[in-house]
């Protein structure tokens, strides 16, 4: 195990790029001492810690209807969710694509899962080292996108997607104290998030009127994200961090085309393979 921190950005189905990167690293038996995962990055992160190459890919890319986690419009209205979160965080790990809880809980790697506290609007870095149900619940909270997924209560606290408050937890990684930080992004170089439109801001205000701090965080997300990505770019130029990110057009956040998803996954895998010696040199330096 290498003393380093792995930072994994979210992005829903764009996370297949991350799974490609991590699958190659797992095949090389390269594991870091710390992992911080956000949203889809948290799902990738726990599969990395449980040493299950291919699991995230299999959860996200499949044509069988029985494994589908997308709701239609009618179910969305009834369930108040665009995706079947019970399928993803219950049936997947416990039935269809078994999660290796034993390996995860026995790991020496510290895995932090980022979720946004709806009451404070702040990011929280949650961990779990023995309770299977709570582990999947905090992954679910981290991955629950606003407006299209219900709020998740963990220990009596309401949470939503970790990417709202801390999309790229690079400052958290620096605070962990490891000199080596590996960041896996799911957006192309130069990407900047656009300001929240007035219409979407109004939707947030209506949907989360009980949580004014959450509304403030969601509306300011583009500002915070762009500040984080500028920091990532500067630290990479200075050689202080190592970054993987897609160099081809990304898939959409809720991509359903299996061929497009597999192509994006393979791009991540091949990029990790191509940059592996460079990564080794960085970690050894």
């Amino acid at each position: 195990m290498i003393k380093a921190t792995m930072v994994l950005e979210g992005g829903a189905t764009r996370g297949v790029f991350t799974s490609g990167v991590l699958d190659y690293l797992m095949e090389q038996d390269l594991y870091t001492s710390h992992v911080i995962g956000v949203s889809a990055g948290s799902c990738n992160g726990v599969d990395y810690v449980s040493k299950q190459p291919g699991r995230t890919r299999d959860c996200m890319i499949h044509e069988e209807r029985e494994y589908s986690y997308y709701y239609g419009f009618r179910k969305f209205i009834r369930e108040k969710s665009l995706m079947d979160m019970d399928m993803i965080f219950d049936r997947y790990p416990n039935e269809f694509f078994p999660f290796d809880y034993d390996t995860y809980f026995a790991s020496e790697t510290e895995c932090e899962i980022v979720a946004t506290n709806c009451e404070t609007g702040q990011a929280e870095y949650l961990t779990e080292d023995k309770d299977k149900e709570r582990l999947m619940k905090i992954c679910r909270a981290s991955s629950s996108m606003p407006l299209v997924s219900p709020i998740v209560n963990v220990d009596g606290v309401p949470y939503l997607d970790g990417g709202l408050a801390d999309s790229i937890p690079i400052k958290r990684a620096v605070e962990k104290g490891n000199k080596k930080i590996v960041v896996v992004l799911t957006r192309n170089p130069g990407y900047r998030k656009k300001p929240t439109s007035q219409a979407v801001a109004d939707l947030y205000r209506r949907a989360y009127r009980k949580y004014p701090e959450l509304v403030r965080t969601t509306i300011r997300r583009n500002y915070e994200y762009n500040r984080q990505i500028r920091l990532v770019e500067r630290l990479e130029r200075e050689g202080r961090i190592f970054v993987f990110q897609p160099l081809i057009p990304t898939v959409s956040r809720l991509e359903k085309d299996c061929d497009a998803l597999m192509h994006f996954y393979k791009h991540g895998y091949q990029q990790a393979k191509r940059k592996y010696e460079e990564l080794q040199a960085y970690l050894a330096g």
Side-chain angles (χ1 to χ4, degrees):
M1 183 178 292
I2 298 169
K3 187 170 177 56
T5 299
M6 183 80 69
V7 176
L8 307 174
E9 185 184 10
T13 53
R14 287 194 298 272
V16 295
F17 172 83
T18 304
S19 62
V21 171
L22 296 182
D23 281 357
Y24 182 81
L25 299 185
M26 283 190 275
E27 289 176 5
Q28 308 312 308
D29 203 30
L30 191 155
Y31 292 92
T32 60
S33 58
H34 295 77
V35 175
I36 309 175
V38 183
S39 194
S42 69
C43 299
N44 272 298
V46 295
D47 286 344
Y48 177 68
V49 176
S50 68
K51 300 185 176 182
Q52 291 182 269
R55 183 179 181 275
T56 308
R57 176 200 64 207
D58 293 343
C59 288
M60 299 181 82
I61 308 175
H62 43 71
E63 296 181 343
E64 297 86 351
R65 184 177 294 274
E66 64 183 302
Y67 300 147
S68 176
Y69 51 80
Y70 286 105
Y71 281 142
F73 179 73
R74 191 171 297 174
K75 274 195 172 183
F76 169 66
I77 297 298
R78 185 173 71 244
E79 302 290 341
K80 295 182 173 59
S81 179
L82 195 61
M83 295 179 289
D84 186 343
M85 302 298 271
D86 289 335
M87 170 75 80
I88 299 171
F89 296 103
D90 183 5
R91 298 193 71 188
Y92 274 11
N94 299 314
E95 184 178 344
F96 294 139
F97 308 105
F99 180 77
D100 189 342
Y101 293 100
D102 291 340
T103 297
Y104 181 89
F105 291 140
S107 176
E108 295 180 0
T109 295
E110 179 183 358
C111 184
E112 293 189 324
I113 297 168
V114 186
T116 299
N117 184 316
C118 296
E119 295 176 335
T120 66
Q122 300 297 309
E124 293 188 10
Y125 308 90
L126 308 174
T127 62
E128 180 53 56
D129 60 7
K130 59 186 176 182
D131 188 321
K132 298 178 181 180
E133 185 176 343
R134 185 175 183 276
L135 175 63
M136 287 301 145
K137 183 172 282 191
I138 61 179
C139 286
R140 178 172 181 161
S142 179
S143 305
S144 291
M145 295 181 291
L147 302 179
V148 298
S149 300
I151 288 171
V152 178
N153 285 283
V154 181
D155 306 327
V157 178
Y159 292 100
L160 274 176
D161 196 309
L164 297 174
D166 198 355
S167 298
I168 311 171
I170 188 69
K171 286 188 177 180
R172 178 69 175 182
V174 171
E175 290 171 0
K176 299 303 292 183
N178 288 330
K179 293 183 179 179
K180 302 297 181 179
I181 299 172
V182 180
V183 180
V184 185
L185 303 176
T186 59
R187 290 286 196 177
N188 300 129
Y191 172 79
R192 294 295 186 270
K193 192 172 289 295
K194 296 178 181 179
T196 304
S197 69
Q198 186 61 51
V200 173
D202 288 343
L203 280 176
Y204 285 139
R205 292 188 182 97
R206 288 198 296 270
Y208 304 115
R209 55 185 177 275
K210 289 173 54 179
Y211 303 109
E213 294 302 321
L214 174 67
V215 172
R216 179 177 179 275
T217 294
T218 57
I219 292 174
R220 284 176 48 85
R221 186 185 179 193
N222 75 294
Y223 173 78
E224 296 298 334
Y225 181 93
N226 294 341
R227 185 167 66 172
Q228 288 176 323
I229 201 66
R230 287 193 296 270
L231 175 59
V232 167
E233 291 169 347
R234 178 171 65 81
L235 294 177
E236 184 183 22
R237 286 195 303 269
E238 295 172 356
R240 295 168 60 186
I241 66 174
F242 193 94
V243 177
F244 291 103
Q245 66 184 131
L247 302 178
I248 63 173
T250 65
V251 297
S252 68
R253 187 172 63 167
L254 295 175
E255 182 62 64
K256 298 180 183 180
D257 186 286
C258 291
D259 291 336
L261 290 169
M262 184 58 73
H263 181 64
F264 204 48
Y265 164 83
K266 289 179 178 178
H267 177 59
Y269 184 93
Q270 291 300 324
Q271 188 177 131
K273 184 177 182 179
R274 185 171 58 253
K275 297 179 68 172
Y276 185 66
E277 289 187 5
E278 185 182 348
L279 172 63
Q280 285 184 305
Y282 164 77
L283 293 172

